[in-house]
Amino acid sequence: MIKITDLEKTYRTEEVETMALNKVSFEVKDGEFVAIMGPSGCGKSTLLNILGLLDDMDGGSYLFDGIEVSKFNERKRADLRKHNIGFVFQSFNLIDELSVFENVELPLIYTGVKSDERKRRVEEVLDKMQIMHRRNHFPQQLSGGQQQRVAVARAVVNKPKLILADEPTGNLDSSNGNEVMQMLTDLNEQGTSVIMVTHSEHDARYSHRIVRMLDGRTVMENILV
């Protein structure tokens, strides 16, 4: 599904130049669950942003389903994101002014799904995430665990090929964190590829493979299954 080769990213200011990614190369196959680990500042989130086509790369190659996407313009990148990638963030990133239903419905509006089909798919995923009873509530009326359930529902309602998760349990207690990890595992077992950035060795053990980073490089891989 994903193959990156010699990926580079440098951030520059007037006084400082920081290489966030230094010739990073690795692959993720269809149906894999990969955890990316490493100390703060090692390039994990930068890598995830580039994989999600939210940030530009300075050098190297990025193949998504065999297509070179590194030179895509923003319209092409947005189109690929909308139809193929779901995002789960540590901070949930829900829209406070929208209800649970409306937050989950948003990606379907962006991709032009008709109203009746949107309603069916949102209700289906809310039921699967066991959050249907909160459909008319607003994010601030929910617990952290419930908000992350809504965020996962929003990420998967378009049935993406890939889920990118950035510290998905970072703001949750252990019980809610385990529930979110089980949701990601269930989605993966249904065929969705998952790439997760995490500091948690516990969460990483849910994955098939751990890619460890240091100073903008991949330094080790651990196969878990």
Side-chain angles (χ1 to χ4, degrees), residues 1-5 26 28 51 57 60-70:
M1 165 175 271
I2 282 177
K3 182 178 181 180
I4 59 171
T5 306
F26 76 102
V28 177
L51 294 177
M57 51 196 281
S61 170
Y62 176 13
L63 298 179
F64 189 99
D65 270 353
I67 299 171
E68 178 61 63
V69 299
S70 60

Side-chain angles (χ1 to χ4, degrees), residues 7-141:
L7 193 65
E8 294 183 340
K9 179 66 178 180
T10 301
Y11 293 105
R12 296 177 176 87
T13 66
E14 290 183 1
E15 299 177 353
V16 180
E17 182 175 290
T18 304
M19 179 165 276
L21 298 174
N22 185 2
K23 294 190 178 299
V24 173
S25 299
F26 76 102
E27 296 184 37
V28 177
K29 297 177 181 177
D30 280 332
E32 267 200 298
F33 189 156
V34 177
I36 300 173
M37 300 194 72
S40 296
C42 72
K44 303 185 303 294
S45 292
T46 298
L47 176 59
L48 207 69
N49 285 339
I50 290 174
L51 294 177
L53 299 173
L54 298 173
D55 202 355
D56 292 320
M57 51 196 281
D58 293 329
S61 170
Y62 176 13
L63 298 179
F64 189 99
D65 270 353
I67 299 171
E68 178 61 63
V69 299
S70 60
K71 303 301 182 185
F72 272 18
N73 60 30
E74 182 49 41
R75 178 176 291 183
K76 282 188 173 182
R77 285 157 43 147
D79 190 57
L80 188 147
R81 278 197 306 269
K82 286 188 296 185
H83 292 93
N84 295 280
I85 303 174
F87 296 89
V88 180
F89 301 96
Q90 176 179 348
S91 56
F92 316 135
N93 283 15
L94 301 176
I95 298 174
D96 288 340
E97 293 77 20
L98 298 182
S99 69
V100 165
F101 185 97
E102 291 166 336
N103 266 282
V104 176
E105 182 186 32
L106 209 54
L108 299 176
I109 294 173
Y110 290 153
T111 51
V113 176
K114 293 182 179 179
S115 177
D116 289 349
E117 176 66 6
R118 292 203 306 268
K119 182 175 184 293
R120 184 191 70 77
R121 286 168 64 173
V122 172
E123 289 179 347
E124 179 182 52
V125 76
L126 289 179
D127 187 54
K128 181 183 291 186
M129 297 297 163
Q130 300 179 2
I131 200 76
M132 176 69 86
H133 62 295
R134 298 288 192 178
R135 58 175 290 165
N136 295 319
H137 287 69
F138 292 89
Q140 60 268 31
Q141 297 174 301

Side-chain angles (χ1 to χ4, degrees), residues 26 102 112 130 164 169 174 178 201 217:
F26 76 102
E102 291 166 336
Q130 300 179 2
L164 298 177
T169 68
S174 59
N178 288 338
E201 293 282 352
R217 294 178 177 268

